[in-house]
Amino acid sequence: MIVILILRNLLMNLRTANHVKHQSDELAYAYVQLDKFLHDGDVVYTLPELTSYKKAAFRKKDGKDSNIYVITQYESMIRIRTPSAGHMPLLLNVEDAKFHTDEDQIKIDIKEKDGRKSELVFKFDQKESDYEDEKKKSKKDERERTAE
């Protein structure tokens, strides 16, 4: 009887550990999936003016194409809405999500249905106007150095 009780408790512990590991893998996969999507374009930058604690917006430029994407929570899912009204699910079983956007990053605070809390942070490029200002400044600095 003691052996049966020990085996039963061991199986329950293994099942619980497997469940927790699976959820951690889902969170890591969501992070990798979004990070890969962000960095396969030419320039990707945040749009704080279109962002609230319920959503985060960013612009992605691939060559001549430029699209605005929005990350939101919909029911128990975090998803990216595409310009063509479709969506890409990132993470399921989410109880609540809060979004914080700065000029160069988006932070997502996640509370999962099982009570665990996580934070995902994504780095972005600077806006094009910032790039243009930096290019002009570096060209000006270079001209000044060559003039000396």
Side-chain angles (χ1 to χ4, degrees):
M1 185 68 140
I2 293 174
V3 171
I4 292 173
L5 287 174
I6 290 172
L7 286 174
R8 182 177 158 257
N9 287 336
L10 180 63
L11 287 174
M12 285 177 35
N13 287 340
L14 287 173
R15 187 177 299 146
T16 302
N18 189 32
H19 181 68
V20 169
K21 181 181 182 303
H22 181 67
Q23 289 176 334
S24 298
D25 290 346
E26 286 178 4
L27 188 65
Y29 180 72
Y31 180 84
V32 169
Q33 184 180 10
L34 180 56
D35 193 57
K36 183 177 187 230
F37 176 74
L38 293 174
H39 293 94
D40 70 355
D42 293 336
V43 178
V44 183
Y45 55 88
T46 62
L47 299 168
E49 62 275 8
L50 300 177
T51 300
S52 70
Y53 71 96
K54 292 282 190 187
K55 65 180 182 177
F58 63 92
R59 180 179 298 275
K60 182 177 178 183
K61 288 190 168 193
D62 292 321
K64 293 183 180 181
D65 292 336
S66 175
N67 294 309
I68 294 176
Y69 295 89
V70 179
I71 306 171
T72 62
Q73 178 183 357
Y74 175 72
E75 295 180 357
S76 64
M77 164 191 355
I78 293 179
R79 66 182 184 171
I80 298 178
R81 285 195 336 239
T82 63
S84 60
H87 75 268
M88 176 175 67
L90 289 175
L91 189 61
L92 302 174
N93 299 319
V94 174
E95 183 177 317
D96 191 32
K98 302 279 189 256
F99 301 87
H100 309 281
T101 303
D102 294 328
E103 293 298 321
D104 65 342
Q105 74 177 9
I106 290 177
K107 182 173 79 167
I108 307 170
D109 293 320
I110 299 168
K111 182 178 180 189
E112 297 177 60
K113 285 189 174 184
D114 64 1
R116 292 182 307 142
K117 295 181 180 182
S118 304
E119 180 179 276
L120 300 176
V121 179
F122 300 94
K123 292 295 271 180
F124 287 78
D125 299 320
Q126 295 175 346
K127 282 190 178 180
E128 282 189 343
S129 61
D130 295 338
Y131 281 127
E132 295 302 318
D133 292 342
E134 285 182 20
K135 285 180 185 178
K136 288 177 186 176
K137 184 180 176 185
S138 65
K139 285 181 182 180
K140 181 182 175 184
D141 291 343
E142 188 177 321
R143 277 186 255 138
E144 288 175 358
R145 277 186 254 138
T146 56
E148 293 174 353

